[in-house]
Amino acid sequence: MENLGLLLIFWYGILHAFGPDHLTAIADFSIGKSKKKTMTITTLFAIGHGLTLFIFAKILDTYNISESILGYGDIISASVILAMGIYLLYMVFNDRIQLKKHIHDGKEHIHIWFGKEHEHNNRDTASAFTIGALMGIGGVRGMLVTLGMVEANSVDMTMVLAFSLGVMVIFVGFGSVILYINKNLLNSKQNLKRVFATAGVISVVVGSNMLLA
């Protein structure tokens, strides 16, 4: 029964990851990134998501918190998606997304960055972990119900790990789709603006819909 329970939790993680807010966040962070950075971002997003879910699930497992307070978790998730969409649209319409091509070891490389100067840092990967953690607050209720149905409300790290692995499978798979877009579409400044503008509009629509729901 224990293995079956973990399998069910793993499957719930897969279903949970298909939420439009999660896929939108992954797209916003991964567009224009290298293969290594895209995979790092999707993995850190999943880890941050699972860590927050574990912490808050343990809190809710111990303390009785009203539904009205828990509802603020959904508002936080929606606000994050909405803010990212507005930010992307701002960067597009103010021409602050840059693209530069160069030849290295006989191969053409494309660098994409925000702002005037190209900086090599880990800010986006750290942000992906943070956003994943923040958005995890919005999924706590659904996860706790699922865990409770399977394991009688006993939340442990093994269960959250199974859930996080399910989430990671979808995130990494979706990251592969973003890699295809990066490789085949982001080869000109015009296409770059179109893709980021599309991602921004989708983020605004998804975030607004979540807030109004």
Side-chain angles (χ1 to χ4, degrees), residues 6-213:
L6 291 177
L7 183 61
L8 289 174
I9 294 169
F10 173 78
W11 179 247
Y12 175 70
I14 290 177
L15 296 178
H16 179 81
F18 271 113
D21 53 335
H22 303 117
L23 299 185
T24 299
I26 291 294
D28 289 348
F29 273 100
S30 301
I31 291 175
K33 302 296 190 300
S34 66
K35 180 178 180 179
K36 179 180 179 180
K37 184 152 282 191
T38 296
M39 291 298 103
T40 300
I41 285 171
T42 53
T43 301
L44 286 176
F45 188 96
I47 292 173
H49 203 63
L51 184 61
T52 299
L53 285 168
F54 173 69
I55 292 172
F56 277 88
K58 291 296 287 185
I59 293 174
L60 294 177
D61 197 22
T62 306
Y63 301 100
N64 184 23
I65 300 177
S66 68
E67 284 291 319
S68 60
I69 294 178
L70 291 176
Y72 284 107
D74 298 326
I75 295 176
I76 291 174
S77 296
S79 299
V80 167
I81 294 295
L82 179 60
M84 285 196 296
I86 293 173
Y87 174 73
L88 288 180
L89 291 175
Y90 169 81
M91 298 301 279
V92 169
F93 289 113
N94 285 276
D95 197 27
R96 295 182 61 86
I97 304 178
Q98 311 299 330
L99 179 148
K100 183 179 180 181
K101 299 180 181 180
H102 69 91
I103 304 297
H104 182 67
D105 293 334
K107 295 182 179 180
E108 183 180 71
H109 291 266
I110 297 177
H111 289 280
I112 297 169
W113 70 94
F114 288 177
K116 296 181 179 180
E117 298 182 1
H118 185 200
E119 297 180 354
H120 292 278
N121 55 56
N122 295 318
R123 196 175 303 163
D124 46 4
T125 53
S127 297
F129 177 84
T130 302
I131 297 301
L134 283 174
M135 293 185 64
I137 300 174
V140 171
R141 282 181 297 177
M143 179 186 172
L144 190 62
V145 169
T146 302
L147 297 182
M149 290 173 59
V150 175
E151 297 287 345
N153 278 334
S154 177
V155 181
D156 59 40
M157 200 62 191
T158 303
M159 297 158 64
V160 176
L161 179 61
F163 174 85
S164 299
L165 286 175
V167 170
M168 197 175 297
V169 166
I170 301 305
F171 285 176
V172 172
F174 188 65
S176 300
V177 175
I178 300 299
L179 282 175
Y180 176 84
I181 294 175
N182 291 343
K183 183 177 180 180
N184 295 279
L185 295 181
L186 302 186
N187 48 21
S188 70
K189 187 70 176 288
Q190 185 178 28
N191 284 350
L192 183 70
K193 295 180 72 172
R194 287 173 178 171
V195 170
F196 273 105
T198 301
V201 169
I202 292 174
S203 293
V204 169
V205 171
V206 170
S208 300
N209 184 64
M210 290 172 65
L211 284 174
L212 296 174

